[in-house]
Amino acid sequence: MERLDVVEQGCTIKRKDIRFVIYKEGIIDESVPYFEVNEIILWGRQNITGPALDLAFEKGIDVLFLSLSGKLKGKIQGAKSKNIYIRLAQYELWREKEKKVLFAKGIIKNKINNQYKLLKYYGIDEPEIIEIKKKVHLANKIDEVMGFEGMASKIYFSHFKSIITNDFQFDGRNRRPPKDEVNSLLSLTYSMVLNNILSELEASGLDSYLGFLHAIKYGRQALALDILEEFRQGFCDTFVIKLINRKEVKKEDFIYNEEDGMRFKEEAFKKYLEKYNNEKEELTKIIKKQIGKLKISILNEEEYKGYEFSKRRKTKVCD
C-alpha cells in the first residue's frame, strides 16, 4: 500500500504507536503501519486526530481532504521544497509574454495531437483536428490558444460516444456537476490525476499556482492544470474507456442527486479506487519524469515537450 484511501463515511483516523488506525462507529475497521503509506486521502465526511497528523508530519505523509466527486477541499503537508531558484526562473518566464504564449502553444499542440492519436487508435481519422493543430502557431495571445483547444475538443468529444461499447450514453462533455456516468468518470479521473500532479509539483519546488496556459486566479493551481492537459488523453480518457469497454464499471454502480450530480455508489467507488491505484505507480513515474522535463525547459527557456498518447492502432469497435 502506498496510498490510504478512507472512503466509508463517518470514519476517524487515529494514531496507535506507529500505525494509522481507522475507526468506524468506535470499532477498528483497518490498521496500517506508517511505512506502508505515503499519502492519506480522506473522501467526504471523515475525521483525523492531532496525534495521527503528528505521525503524518513526522514521516512526510501528505493528508488530502477530497469531496466524493474528487475535488480537493484541502491538504495538510510538511515543509515545501527549498529550491527558490526554480521558482524564480518560473516567475521570470511567466512575466515574458512571448515566451509564456510559446509555452502555452506547446501544451495545446501536444494535447490536440493526443486527441488525434487516440481517435486514430480506435479507427477514427479526423484530419480537421490536425488542421486546427497547425493553426495554433498563429496565436499571439493565450485566449487565442485556448480558442483552438476548444475547437479541437469539440470535435474530439463528438466522436467519443462511438468509442464506448457498453450501454453508457454520452452526448458531450458536461460537469459541475456531471449529469451522466461517462462524464462522472471523466471528471473523477481528471481530479485524481490532478491531485497526483499537485503532489509531485510541490515536491519539485515549482509553484503550482503559476501556470502558463491557465490564467492565474485566487485558489487556482494553474500549473497543475497545465500539466493535466497532456494526461487527459494520454492517461485519463484511455483509463475511462478501458473501464467501460471491459465492463469493469456498470450503470448500476452510479447514483444521482442534485448536489453532486452523477457519482459512484460507495462500494463501486472502492473498486474504482483499487483499479486506479493499480495504475498509480506507473502514472506517478511518468508525472515525475514530465515535471523534470518541465523544470529543465523553464531553467533553459526552451520549448516543453509534453507526454504523448502512445498505443498501437486498434480496429474501430462497432456499436
Side-chain angles (χ1 to χ4, degrees):
M1 179 184 295
E2 290 187 354
R3 196 173 94 168
L4 178 59
D5 287 283
V6 183
V7 176
E8 192 171 354
Q9 298 300 282
C11 291
T12 300
I13 298 86
K14 298 182 179 181
R15 174 181 182 170
K16 186 174 183 180
D17 298 324
I18 63 168
R19 305 178 75 87
F20 294 104
V21 183
I22 302 172
Y23 288 84
K24 174 64 176 178
E25 296 179 352
I27 300 172
I28 295 177
D29 184 63
E30 189 174 359
S31 178
V32 184
Y34 78 82
F35 51 80
E36 292 186 3
V37 180
N38 65 13
E39 194 173 47
I40 298 173
I41 313 290
L42 305 180
W43 296 88
R45 296 176 289 103
Q46 314 290 2
N47 298 293
I48 184 166
T49 65
L53 285 174
D54 286 342
L55 180 60
F57 288 147
E58 180 184 338
K59 304 304 179 183
I61 299 168
D62 291 346
V63 181
L64 282 71
F65 298 83
L66 272 62
S67 69
L68 291 174
S69 62
K71 183 178 180 181
L72 181 66
K73 297 190 292 184
K75 181 175 182 177
I76 300 174
Q77 65 181 99
K80 292 186 178 181
S81 167
K82 299 176 182 179
N83 189 349
I84 185 61
Y85 300 108
I86 185 63
R87 290 196 289 277
L88 286 173
Q90 182 185 358
Y91 300 151
E92 288 300 319
L93 181 61
W94 183 86
R95 288 191 183 99
E96 297 187 39
K97 179 184 174 182
E98 289 185 5
K99 291 180 180 178
K100 183 170 70 170
V101 172
L102 184 64
F103 233 84
K105 288 180 182 179
I107 293 169
I108 291 306
K109 283 193 291 184
N110 181 72
K111 178 180 180 177
I112 294 174
N113 194 52
N114 282 346
Q115 290 174 332
Y116 176 80
K117 290 169 71 175
L118 188 146
L119 292 178
K120 192 77 172 178
Y121 173 72
Y122 284 96
I124 301 168
D125 189 14
E126 185 47 86
E128 189 175 350
I129 288 182
I130 292 300
E131 291 304 311
I132 294 171
K133 177 190 170 184
K134 291 177 181 177
K135 295 176 182 178
V136 173
H137 78 279
L138 299 173
N140 296 311
K141 299 177 181 179
I142 300 295
D143 287 349
E144 294 172 358
V145 177
M146 292 298 283
F148 288 121
E149 185 277 334
M151 292 165 59
S153 290
K154 185 176 181 179
I155 296 170
Y156 168 76
F157 278 117
S158 72
H159 292 289
F160 202 76
K161 61 183 176 182
S162 66
I163 295 173
I164 297 168
T165 61
N166 211 331
D167 59 347
F168 288 85
Q169 299 297 313
F170 181 80
D171 295 318
R173 189 77 178 102
N174 62 69
R175 53 197 182 276
R176 298 174 189 167
K179 297 179 176 63
D180 57 72
E181 296 87 356
V182 177
N183 276 291
S184 177
L185 277 167
L186 288 171
S187 292
L188 175 60
T189 306
Y190 293 156
S191 294
M192 297 285 286
V193 175
L194 181 64
N195 291 330
N196 285 13
I197 292 168
L198 281 170
S199 294
E200 298 305 325
L201 271 179
E202 288 164 359
S204 75
L206 289 165
D207 188 336
S208 62
Y209 289 89
L210 194 71
F212 303 102
L213 173 67
H214 291 85
I216 59 171
K217 183 179 178 182
Y218 185 85
R220 173 190 282 174
Q221 288 159 313
L223 185 61
L225 290 169
D226 287 358
I227 297 173
L228 177 63
E229 295 298 340
E230 62 196 86
F231 288 97
R232 288 184 187 270
Q233 286 72 50
F235 175 83
C236 302
D237 293 1
T238 55
F239 178 69
V240 168
I241 292 166
K242 180 173 68 174
L243 290 179
I244 293 173
N245 288 2
R246 292 181 180 179
K247 299 185 177 180
E248 294 176 343
V249 295
K250 302 175 182 178
K251 293 191 76 171
E252 53 264 34
D253 289 334
F254 294 83
I255 189 170
Y256 183 86
N257 64 54
E258 290 296 329
E259 183 180 355
D260 300 316
M262 191 70 71
R263 64 176 177 84
F264 271 124
K265 295 176 181 175
E266 192 170 284
E267 287 304 313
F269 185 40
K270 290 178 181 178
K271 292 178 182 178
Y272 167 89
L273 289 175
E274 182 180 347
K275 295 180 186 302
Y276 181 85
N277 288 335
N278 288 339
E279 308 272 354
K280 185 175 181 288
E281 183 177 355
E282 183 61 29
L283 174 63
T284 300
K285 289 179 182 177
I286 297 169
I287 291 172
K288 285 181 176 179
K289 183 178 179 180
Q290 288 305 124
I291 290 175
K293 288 182 179 180
L294 177 62
K295 290 172 71 173
I296 292 171
S297 297
I298 290 172
L299 289 169
N300 296 337
E301 296 187 3
E302 58 189 29
E303 186 175 354
Y304 168 65
K305 186 170 178 59
Y307 177 64
E308 295 184 8
F309 174 85
S310 57
K311 278 191 176 183
R312 294 177 183 175
R313 183 171 177 175
K314 181 184 178 98
T315 303
K316 182 178 177 183
V317 180
C318 298
D319 294 333

